[in-house]
Amino acid sequence: MFSLTVDEFKQSYFPKFLDNGVITADVVKDARRCSDKFHAFLVNNRYLSSVSCFRVYDNDLFSFYKQAERCLKSGQISMADVQVNWRLLCSSGVTCRRFLAS
């Protein structure tokens, strides 16, 4: 019905979190890929783009990507510097997965 499964959502649109606690170029690159890909998907999906949790997730994903990019450029590479953005992203991601699973 939604043209997106929970597994597709997690695999395609949720960035990888590295357990080493450091923001790397790979973390930023993956977050950007997820953000760009999800935004393009959402823009082209009339139904899901009308669902508020997906719009919130799109914004949270972009915010996480931009904050990680800023931190990397400034040399602040601790994941603690993006922890708030990560938590918001996880929270909105869970909401989207619940919606897809219903």
Side-chain angles (χ1 to χ4, degrees):
M1 177 179 175
F2 304 125
S3 74
L4 181 66
T5 67
V6 172
D7 287 336
E8 290 171 335
F9 176 79
K10 288 190 305 187
Q11 292 173 358
S12 298
Y13 306 121
F14 198 82
K16 313 289 184 278
F17 183 85
L18 301 177
D19 292 330
N20 64 5
V22 175
I23 300 168
T24 64
D26 288 339
V27 168
V28 173
K29 183 179 177 181
D30 185 56
R32 180 179 182 173
R33 177 196 61 79
C34 290
S35 179
D36 290 348
K37 192 174 177 182
F38 185 72
H39 185 73
F41 171 78
L42 199 59
V43 166
N44 292 311
N45 189 308
R46 177 177 270 168
Y47 177 72
L48 291 181
S49 66
S50 71
V51 178
S52 63
C53 67
F54 290 98
R55 291 192 314 272
V56 169
Y57 180 77
D58 188 36
N59 289 333
D60 288 345
L61 182 55
F62 183 75
S63 295
F64 172 74
Y65 151 61
K66 291 308 280 183
Q67 182 65 21
E69 182 181 57
R70 282 190 292 272
C71 287
L72 184 64
K73 286 181 180 178
S74 69
Q76 297 174 326
I77 60 170
S78 170
M79 283 304 247
D81 295 318
V82 294
Q83 199 68 311
V84 170
N85 297 88
W86 179 255
R87 287 183 182 155
L88 289 171
L89 178 63
C90 290
S91 177
S92 61
V94 166
T95 304
C96 290
R97 290 193 306 267
R98 284 182 185 150
F99 179 87
L100 291 170
S102 62

